[in-house]
């Protein structure tokens, strides 16, 4: 323990000694949606938390204070670079400090158990080692900036269906070797100041009450000394929570802690020492982030400022994964594009114009700007060749109404019963989502009678536009000065509480509008009485859907544009109704007619490049019919600029797949995400991701770790010891590049025939370590990669401990899981 650590501990103990029972219990309950109460009597300021993993939203759902929006966690993991993740974390710490936030509710280190998982895009990888390494880099970066993290969701929250109540039934070995492993790695490598316990149960015990996993494993075995915060509304029991190691029950003010906890102590149901332990953890967190007087903050001075736009652009390109790049015309691969004078590009797809840069749910932030693929490529080509791309919609992935966005300029106005304005603010879209004390200005739930979304709409297309609502209660919709609908939306049959509260999207009116002619729009919501609700919230949306054109006509226009161009770039995408927090996917197909569009364009122009704008795997049935496929995930606010950089060769697509992409949904080895009788059994055991594909001899579309870049690499030599692998590689291409050298282990019994070891059941192979190397054309580089002792261990269910498995291993130096370049034999005693 350093002198500063001891000073913080002394300050914590001194502060704790001044508190009475009621004040201690109050400190463990959120005072509102995002913060803990200040206690001036001990010099404690209010400690503020905020979502999310790709940006810092702050404590209000508003665009008045924009946030830098980084690429999705799948994109960050695709870079296979913990140091880059650390830089991302430092930027988010900078954003947090700017917004007065002390603790970031991130990162999410649950695994990609199934590609159907609704928050797949918010998690890093299907592999525990890669997930732990990237997660540790992220946590180190955020805490470098003096801001706390809460590593989530501890544990077994790997799907969204019935997430509040599901019992994740996981055997001890996969629980330790897969699902707990990333959390353990982050605790060991980054010493996080917080952790978030999940909604779900694990093996019959709710995670916010799981004394074995929290007290014995997390704190006892791993030495975690941070603060354990519940997921929002996850805490259900006063005694169960405090005895299970839960420090803070969020949000407030009505939680299972506070007065209920103090009463439980007085009644002899809870020992006072348990409350003291929880308060001590909260005060330690406060001391570390600098809101407890007399305690030196871990970071006294903020690091050097980071250019958020520049880093967002770099992160996006580093995470793009080029999975196919064929030579169609001559010997030159399709990418990077030939942007010489006179060369033409047709850019196709609704997502090229209106890119999806973020995942839905709690990860949402409001950036100051969004660069779409059309914006980015148009600017770059005008500068490079003077010939901007032609554009065609081709196919729209969504035929549902969505929150009013493109062309809308909106504000929200809160009024009392007399019509007087209480507060107002800007809206980034037609969606209003306030939870807790997030209302603008001086508005409160008690005084606000109506909330109006108001502004103008400038149509991009002439025709019949649909308008609608989402939310519960009474609404009045006005378009162009006339009332189009006045009615009440009732609750549907949604199973997720947030989905139920939001209501189903409903069309209310249609209006024939003219391109370029601005019209006024308004949606007034009557605020219901929320006196009896434990958590006050307002969620509703003004929805819009542009004119629907004949799909065949749209595809025909795209085909004509592609045929007239040297290269066709088609952007396909998922939508928020396909992948988002709150629900799981049912399949992996792209929505709408996008598959038909790609096939038609590829038939018209063999030099077709497809850009996949999705946070999770999707089926690409046409993948061998096109020249190139580039995966861009949800690329963040600078995604369009980064795409132009990569397409034109100014930057290399640096990503490698952090998760296996199946050829078709039927090939995905784990697709059970719907509980049966409240239980979700992880029957697959250790076999998820690439381990399961290998065990079942299933060929994926693209294997784990795959990524092409813009140069080639020769693996020259491999030398191994029991602790290291030394690999020498040479850049044999014509461009500088970065290679991710991946080290896999295979027990000797599995190296040749794929049979599992007779001594102990293990996967056929697994990722043990990796390292990124850079080299110019013709240059060689050597890297020494540490082999962790854990790579040779299994969790022994009988002794309840880690057991080293000796014997002969094949050590594989690989470009991807499916592409071993060199191998060596290693005997482990």
């Amino acid at each position: 323990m350093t002198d500063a650590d001891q000073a913080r501990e002394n300050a914590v103990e001194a502060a704790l000694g001044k508190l009475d029972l009621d004040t201690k219990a109050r400190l463990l309950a959120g005072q509102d949606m995002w913060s803990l109460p200040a206690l001036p009597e001990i010099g404690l300021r209010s400690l503020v938390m905020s979502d999310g993993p790709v940006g810092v939203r702050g404590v209000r759902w508003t665009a008045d204070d924009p946030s830098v929006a980084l690429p999705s966690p799948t994109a960050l993991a695709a870079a296979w670079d913990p140091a880059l993740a650390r830089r991302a974390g430092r930027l988010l710490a900078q954003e947090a400090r700017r917004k007065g936030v002390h603790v970031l509710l991130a990162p999410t280190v649950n695994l990609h158990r199934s590609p159907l998982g609704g928050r797949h895009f918010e998690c890093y990888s299907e592999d525990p080692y890669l997930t732990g390494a990237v997660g540790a880099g992220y946590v180190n970066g955020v805490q470098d900036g003096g801001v706390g993290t809460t590593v989530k969701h501890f544990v077994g929250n790997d799907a969204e269906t019935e997430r509040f109540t599901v019992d994740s039934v996981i055997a001890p070995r996969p629980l330790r070797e897969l699902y707990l492993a990333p959390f353990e790695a982050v605790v060991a490598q980054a010493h996080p100041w917080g952790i978030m316990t999940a909604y779900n149960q694990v093996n019959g015990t709710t995670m916010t009450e799981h004394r074995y996993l929290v007290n014995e494993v997390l704190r006892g075995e791993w030495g975690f000394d941070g603060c354990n915060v519940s997921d929002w509304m996850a805490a259900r029991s006063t005694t169960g929570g405090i005895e299970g190691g839960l420090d803070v029950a969020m949000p407030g003010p009505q939680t299972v802690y506070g007065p209920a906890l103090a009463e439980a102590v007085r009644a002899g149901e809870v020992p006072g020492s348990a409350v003291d332990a929880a308060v001590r953890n909260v005060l330690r967190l406060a001391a570390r982030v600098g809101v407890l007087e007399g305690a030196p903050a871990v970071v006294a001075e903020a690091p050097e400022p980071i250019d958020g736009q520049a880093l967002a652009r770099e992160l996006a390109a580093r995470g793009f994964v080029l999975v196919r790049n064929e030579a169609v015309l001559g010997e030159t691969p399709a990418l990077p594009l030939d942007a010489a004078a006179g060369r033409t590009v047709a850019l196709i797809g609704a997502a090229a114009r209106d890119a999806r840069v973020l995942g839905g749910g709690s990860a949402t932030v409001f950036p100051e700007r969004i660069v779409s693929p059309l914006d980015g490529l148009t600017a770059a080509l005008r500068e490079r060749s003077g010939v901007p791309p032609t554009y065609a919609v081709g196919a729209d992935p969504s035929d549902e109404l969505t929150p009013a966005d493109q062309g809308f300029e909106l504000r929200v106005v809160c009024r009392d019963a007399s019509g007087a304005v209480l507060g107002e603010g800007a809206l980034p879209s037609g969606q209003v989502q306030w939870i807790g004390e997030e209302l603008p200005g001086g508005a409160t739930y008690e005084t606000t009678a109506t909330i109006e979304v108001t502004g103008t709409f400038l149509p991009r297309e002439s025709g019949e536009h649909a308008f609608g609502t989402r939310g519960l209660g009474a609404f009045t919709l006005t378009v162009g000065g006339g009332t189009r609908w006045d009615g009440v939306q009732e609750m549907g049959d949604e199973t997720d509480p947030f989905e139920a509260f939001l209501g189903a999207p409903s069309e209310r009116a249609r209006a024939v509008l003219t391109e370029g002619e601005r019209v006024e729009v308004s949606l007034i919501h009557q605020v219901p009485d929320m006196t009896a609700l434990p958590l006050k919230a307002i969620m509703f949306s003004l929805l819009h859907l542009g004119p629907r054109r004949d799909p065949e006509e749209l595809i025909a226009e795209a085909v004509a544009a592609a045929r007239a161009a040297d290269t066709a770039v088609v952007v396909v995408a998922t939508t928020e109704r396909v992948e988002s927090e709150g629900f799981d996917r049912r399949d992996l197909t792209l929505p709408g007619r996008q598959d038909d569009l790609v096939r038609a364009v590829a038939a018209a122009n063999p030099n077709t490049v497809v850009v996949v704008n999705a946070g999770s795997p999707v089926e690409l049935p046409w993948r061998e019919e096109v020249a190139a496929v580039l995966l861009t995930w949800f690329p963040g606010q600078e995604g369009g600029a980064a795409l132009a950089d990569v397409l034109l060769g100014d930057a290399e697509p640096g990503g490698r797949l952090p998760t296996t992409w199946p050829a078709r949904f039927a090939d995905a080895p784990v697709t059970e995400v719907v509980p049966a009788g409240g239980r979700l059994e992880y029957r697959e055991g250790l076999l998820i991701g690439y381990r399961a594909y290998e065990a079942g001899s299933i060929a994926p579309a693209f294997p784990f770790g795959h990524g092409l870049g813009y140069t080639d690499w020769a693996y020259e030599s491999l030398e191994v010891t029991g602790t290291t692998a030394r690999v020498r590689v040479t850049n044999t291409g014509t461009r500088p590049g970065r290679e991710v050298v991946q080290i896999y282990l295979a027990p000797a019994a599995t190296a040749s025939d794929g049979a599992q070891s007779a001594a102990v059941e293990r996967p056929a192979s697994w990722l043990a370590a990796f390292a990124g190397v850079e080299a110019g054309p013709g240059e060689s580089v050597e890297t020494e990669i540490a082999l962790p002792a854990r790579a040779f261990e299994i969790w022994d269910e009988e002794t309840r401990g880690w057991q080293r498995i000796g014997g002969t291993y094949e050590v594989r130096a690989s470009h991807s899981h499916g592409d071993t370049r060199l191998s060596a034999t290693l005997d482990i005693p």
Side-chain angles (χ1 to χ4, degrees):
M1 181 179 289
T2 66
D3 291 344
D5 290 332
Q6 189 62 60
R8 281 188 288 274
E9 289 301 307
N10 293 342
V12 165
E13 293 302 323
L16 178 63
K18 298 176 183 178
L19 299 178
D20 61 26
L21 174 60
D22 291 300
T23 307
K24 292 174 185 177
R26 183 161 59 91
L27 180 60
L28 303 182
Q31 68 175 350
D32 53 29
M33 186 65 182
W34 301 112
S35 68
L36 299 184
L39 301 177
E41 62 268 32
I42 60 170
L44 176 67
R45 302 199 305 277
S46 178
L47 188 142
V48 179
M49 311 176 206
S50 172
D51 285 322
V54 302
V56 183
R57 187 167 63 240
V59 298
R60 293 187 180 275
W61 187 271
T62 175
D64 288 339
D65 184 14
S67 307
V68 173
L70 300 181
S72 64
T74 44
L76 187 60
W80 288 59
D81 189 346
L84 187 66
R86 190 164 191 160
R87 290 173 58 205
R90 286 175 176 166
L91 172 62
L92 294 176
Q94 174 178 294
E95 284 282 280
R97 293 173 76 111
R98 179 175 67 82
K99 288 174 174 274
V101 168
H102 307 112
V103 178
L104 193 59
L105 302 173
T108 303
V109 299
N110 301 109
L111 295 184
H112 295 164
R113 172 179 173 262
S114 169
L116 297 182
R119 292 176 88 167
H120 190 292
F121 64 87
E122 196 179 319
C123 308
Y124 291 125
S125 168
E126 70 186 20
D127 182 78
Y129 181 81
L130 176 59
T131 298
V134 176
Y138 180 103
V139 168
N140 276 318
V142 175
Q143 295 181 175
D144 284 347
V147 174
T149 56
T150 57
V151 188
K152 63 184 188 181
H153 306 85
F154 188 73
V155 59
N157 184 187
D158 307 298
E160 293 294 278
T161 305
E162 299 180 21
R163 62 175 172 157
F164 289 87
T165 57
V166 63
D167 182 8
S168 299
V169 182
I170 314 172
R173 268 197 72 190
L175 180 60
R176 288 283 187 158
E177 295 182 24
L178 295 180
Y179 302 102
L180 286 172
F183 292 94
E184 182 182 9
V186 173
V187 170
Q189 298 171 30
H191 192 208
W193 301 343
I195 201 153
M196 181 188 290
T197 40
Y199 293 119
N200 55 283
Q201 304 173 55
V202 170
N203 299 330
T205 302
T206 300
M207 278 309 307
T208 51
E209 304 168 26
H210 214 304
R211 67 177 71 186
Y212 169 64
L213 289 179
V214 173
N215 289 338
E216 295 185 35
V217 176
L218 175 65
R219 293 197 184 278
E221 293 182 25
W222 301 349
F224 173 73
D225 67 352
C227 182
N228 174 12
V229 180
S230 75
D231 204 341
W232 265 227
M233 297 184 291
R236 298 168 177 85
S237 167
T238 301
T239 57
I242 199 69
E243 292 176 355
L246 179 67
D247 298 324
V248 174
M250 290 295 290
Q254 297 185 43
T255 79
V256 298
Y257 284 176
L261 180 58
E263 181 58 32
V265 174
R266 293 190 176 101
E269 299 170 356
V270 171
S273 59
V275 175
D276 284 352
V279 172
R280 189 174 287 113
N281 292 331
V282 173
L283 293 175
R284 185 179 297 118
L285 174 60
R288 285 168 168 166
V289 301
V291 297
L292 179 64
E293 283 184 15
V298 171
V299 178
E301 295 185 12
E304 287 295 314
I306 297 172
D307 184 330
Q309 287 187 8
L311 182 56
R313 185 170 181 168
E314 179 187 352
L315 288 171
R318 287 286 306 278
F320 290 174
V321 183
L322 183 61
V323 294
R324 178 177 172 85
N325 193 22
E326 299 297 310
V328 176
L329 306 174
E331 298 181 358
T332 304
L335 292 180
L337 298 177
D338 181 357
R343 303 289 294 179
T344 57
V345 175
L347 185 59
I348 297 164
R353 182 176 63 183
D354 302 322
R356 187 176 180 199
V357 300
L358 297 166
S362 59
T364 303
V365 295
F366 307 111
E368 185 174 18
R369 71 175 204 159
I370 291 176
V371 183
S372 71
L374 181 58
D375 295 334
L377 196 56
T378 297
L381 285 177
R382 277 183 173 150
E383 180 179 343
R384 184 72 58 88
S385 66
V387 182
T390 58
Y391 174 71
V393 172
D396 196 325
S398 176
D399 59 0
E400 293 185 332
L401 292 102
T402 56
D405 188 5
Q406 298 294 331
F408 288 86
E409 294 182 4
L410 301 172
R411 295 187 63 77
V412 63
V413 182
C414 298
R415 296 184 174 88
D416 65 16
S418 71
V421 174
L422 300 173
E424 58 183 312
L427 273 184
S429 73
Q431 182 177 20
V432 174
Q433 183 168 308
W434 298 327
I435 306 175
E437 304 303 318
E438 296 187 9
L439 281 70
T444 67
Y445 292 99
E446 292 74 21
T447 58
T448 300
T450 64
I451 299 171
E452 181 181 16
V453 174
T454 181
T456 62
F457 173 48
L458 186 67
R460 296 187 299 191
E461 300 168 286
S462 297
E464 190 175 52
H465 292 251
F467 294 86
T469 63
R470 189 181 188 194
L472 305 181
F475 295 93
T476 302
L477 172 66
T478 302
V479 179
T483 299
R484 301 302 180 109
W485 183 72
D486 193 346
V488 177
Q489 184 164 343
E490 304 288 352
M491 183 173 289
D493 58 359
E494 293 82 6
T495 57
D496 186 280
F498 285 112
E499 286 287 297
F501 196 77
L502 285 168
S506 301
E507 182 178 320
R508 301 303 184 190
R510 296 193 178 193
V512 176
L513 304 176
T514 303
E515 177 185 350
E517 292 187 8
R518 194 179 300 273
V519 295
E520 295 183 352
V521 294
S522 167
L523 180 65
I524 298 175
H525 176 50
Q526 306 291 330
V527 178
D529 182 4
M530 300 184 197
T531 305
L533 295 181
L535 177 64
K536 296 177 176 60
I538 293 175
M539 299 181 186
F540 71 93
S541 297
L542 167 65
L543 306 179
H544 170 259
L545 180 65
R548 298 293 85 192
R549 293 180 55 197
D550 179 2
E552 296 297 336
E553 180 181 326
L554 289 175
I555 291 176
E557 287 181 357
V559 166
R563 188 175 288 119
D566 293 304
T567 302
V569 177
V570 185
V571 183
V572 296
T574 59
T575 69
E576 194 159 334
R577 298 291 290 175
V578 171
E579 53 175 330
S580 181
E581 179 180 351
F583 56 88
D584 294 311
R585 291 196 285 173
R586 297 179 179 178
D587 56 44
L588 303 182
T589 58
L590 286 167
R593 296 284 303 277
Q594 295 182 100
D595 287 335
D596 294 337
L597 169 66
V598 172
R599 285 193 169 106
V601 168
N605 187 335
N607 202 30
T608 292
V609 175
V610 181
V611 175
V612 183
N613 178 197
S616 313
V618 292
E619 289 183 350
L620 307 176
W622 32 258
R623 62 190 179 279
E624 295 182 359
E625 302 171 31
V626 301
V629 179
L630 180 68
L631 312 181
T632 62
W633 314 105
F634 296 147
Q637 67 175 57
E638 304 298 316
L643 179 62
D645 292 340
V646 167
L647 291 180
L648 297 176
D650 295 333
E652 181 181 40
R656 305 293 186 265
L657 285 179
T659 197
T660 307
W661 277 49
R664 53 183 187 146
F665 173 60
D667 292 341
V670 181
T671 58
E672 290 185 0
V673 294
V674 177
R679 290 162 55 92
L680 181 60
E681 298 195 24
Y682 288 40
R683 295 187 181 92
E684 68 282 352
L686 296 170
L687 300 180
I688 66 170
Y690 64 87
R691 305 163 186 238
Y693 283 87
E694 187 170 22
S697 299
I698 303 169
F702 306 111
F704 176 79
H706 175 62
L708 298 176
Y710 280 160
T711 191
D712 296 313
W713 298 87
Y715 280 57
E716 306 288 351
S717 64
L718 168 64
E719 299 175 9
V720 299
T721 70
T723 58
T724 61
R726 184 182 294 274
V727 183
R728 181 179 178 84
V729 296
T730 298
N731 180 348
T732 60
T734 59
R735 296 170 52 99
R738 180 177 185 272
E739 172 69 338
V740 177
V741 179
Q742 302 163 39
I743 303 296
Y744 296 89
L745 296 181
T750 71
S752 59
D753 59 11
Q756 292 183 324
S757 169
V760 61
E761 183 177 347
R762 285 181 289 179
S765 64
W766 56 89
L767 180 70
F770 65 89
V773 297
E774 297 181 0
E779 292 181 354
S780 298
V781 61
E782 192 170 80
T783 180
E784 185 171 283
I785 307 171
L787 297 179
R790 181 62 56 81
F792 300 96
E793 297 175 343
I794 68 161
W795 180 258
D796 189 312
E797 297 184 358
E798 292 185 5
T799 63
R800 299 181 69 179
W802 292 100
Q803 178 185 354
R804 187 173 177 87
I805 304 299
T808 302
Y809 289 83
E810 182 182 44
V811 182
R812 300 169 177 171
S814 304
H815 176 73
S816 72
H817 183 257
D819 185 0
T820 297
R821 301 293 178 89
L822 295 171
S823 63
T825 300
L826 176 64
D827 290 320
I828 295 294

